[in-house]
Amino acid sequence: SKPSYRVVLENKHGDEFMTRRNLDRSIYVLAGGGFPIRVKGAGMVGCIPISGLPERDDHGVAVDALCDELGLDKEAFALPKA
């Protein structure tokens, strides 16, 4: 599992991603804003869904929240300037 913003960047047009998974475009959309939560030794235990801002910003909100919670430096985990 990986952040949905990364999946968006890896699949610029989304067509192949949707087709390979047989996803109905009238129901599903490939969009950034979902961020997996993994715990060492346990695997994926949840996710942070963010929506309402541009995808890159949604991703940034999740990263900022995780850094706040874990006491990590936000700049060290921020995406490079666009």
Side-chain angles (χ1 to χ4, degrees):
S1 66
K2 52 185 134 179
S4 60
Y5 185 59
R6 178 177 172 183
V7 176
V8 167
L9 295 175
E10 292 174 348
N11 298 274
K12 288 283 187 189
H13 303 290
D15 295 334
E16 186 177 324
F17 178 89
M18 302 294 277
T19 302
R20 280 194 322 250
R21 288 159 180 79
N22 197 29
L23 296 173
D24 182 342
R25 286 177 183 77
S26 69
I27 300 172
Y28 299 99
V29 64
L30 178 58
F35 203 97
I37 299 173
R38 289 187 283 275
V39 174
K40 189 175 184 175
M44 191 166 132
V45 297
C47 71
I48 300 173
I50 308 283
S51 183
L53 301 170
E55 293 172 309
R56 183 181 176 88
D57 296 336
D58 284 342
H59 178 86
V61 169
V63 171
D64 286 353
L66 286 170
C67 286
D68 285 345
E69 183 64 28
L70 299 172
L72 300 172
D73 177 20
K74 292 178 187 179
E75 291 299 318
F77 292 92
L79 291 172
K81 300 284 184 209

